[in-house]
Amino acid sequence: LKKLNSKSLLSLAVSENGKIATGGTGKKLYVSKNNNYINIDNDIIFDVFNFESTLTDVIFINEKIICVRLLSNQIWYCDLESKNKVLLYSKKLKRKERLEVAGQAKKHHEKLTFVDNKKSIFFVSKDNLVEYNLLKKKTTEINFENLENNESIEDIEYNSKKHIIITTSLGNIIYY
């Protein structure tokens, strides 16, 4: 990959069958064409998707679909077979908010989480949890009014008990 990219790679995802996807400050998504037979002695061949902003997170939905989060607060859906990409979510941020997002990205808190049984992607936008349902093509913003003034959402994970678990900057854990 070093032949194609000399910029920092901020996110890495590996599919169930071993495909590699990565991207970062170079504003490109690299996806290996090969899967579980990748040999470190051979060069890996990559497909490339171009974007207009730094990639902060990459996740495989399945072997044919990837979702990407950009520093510009956009979520993109990338079809690896057709090579098409579709903008799923975009919310303009004020300058101060963009600086906060950039700070979060540096701390690796710009995480996408895919919940298979809901067919939804979850992510944090400012201080809201956002759900994008892939089947319904619908976005829902969940605001947590009980957060304190200086409290912000830090990280999210999904557990097998069908909960999104959220951590906050003041040490709270929220089950959703």
Side-chain angles (χ1 to χ4, degrees):
L1 186 58
K2 196 170 182 178
K3 295 174 189 173
L4 297 173
N5 176 64
S6 61
K7 304 277 184 170
S8 179
L9 298 171
L10 302 176
S11 184
L12 172 68
V14 180
S15 74
E16 286 186 19
N17 288 333
K19 281 187 179 179
I20 296 170
T22 187
T25 59
K27 303 177 184 176
K28 295 178 187 291
L29 170 67
Y30 301 95
V31 183
S32 64
K33 288 186 178 186
N34 319 33
N35 50 18
N36 45 353
Y37 299 107
I38 292 175
N39 183 338
I40 49 178
D41 294 331
N42 298 330
D43 285 339
I44 302 170
I45 300 168
F46 290 91
D47 284 326
V48 180
F49 289 81
N50 294 303
F51 293 93
E52 294 179 6
S53 181
T54 296
L55 281 71
T56 59
D57 199 10
V58 176
I59 60 167
F60 277 93
I61 302 302
N62 58 41
E63 294 299 317
K64 300 173 185 176
I65 305 295
I66 290 179
C67 281
V68 175
R69 182 171 189 159
L70 304 182
L71 188 58
S72 61
N73 204 33
Q74 295 180 337
I75 306 296
W76 287 84
Y77 174 99
C78 302
D79 185 316
L80 302 179
E81 287 186 334
S82 69
K83 309 293 187 260
N84 289 328
K85 61 184 186 181
V86 176
L87 180 63
L88 298 180
Y89 177 86
S90 179
K91 188 169 186 179
K92 297 260 185 211
L93 297 175
K94 295 176 183 168
R95 186 177 190 284
K96 181 182 175 188
E97 293 170 333
R98 281 195 313 268
L99 293 173
E100 289 172 7
V101 169
Q104 280 184 327
K106 287 179 184 172
K107 292 191 268 177
H108 304 287
H109 296 150
E110 293 300 295
K111 181 197 262 179
L112 296 170
T113 301
F114 176 65
V115 179
D116 189 40
N117 66 335
K118 291 186 178 218
K119 301 297 182 214
S120 291
I121 300 163
F122 288 87
F123 54 95
V124 175
S125 177
K126 202 175 171 202
D127 286 329
N128 293 326
L129 179 66
V130 180
E131 175 182 6
Y132 182 85
N133 185 288
L134 293 168
L135 296 177
K136 296 177 185 174
K137 297 182 179 168
K138 181 181 175 194
T139 302
T140 306
E141 290 193 29
I142 301 113
N143 187 347
F144 295 96
E145 284 93 23
N146 59 343
L147 292 180
E148 295 182 27
N149 284 344
N150 294 330
E151 188 173 22
S152 60
I153 296 172
E154 290 290 330
D155 203 357
I156 59 174
E157 276 295 336
Y158 175 73
N159 71 7
S160 59
K161 305 255 188 249
K162 301 181 183 175
H163 290 104
I164 296 288
I165 302 168
I166 301 160
T167 58
T168 73
S169 59
L170 296 181
N172 288 315
I173 297 175
I174 301 168
Y175 285 83
Y176 173 76

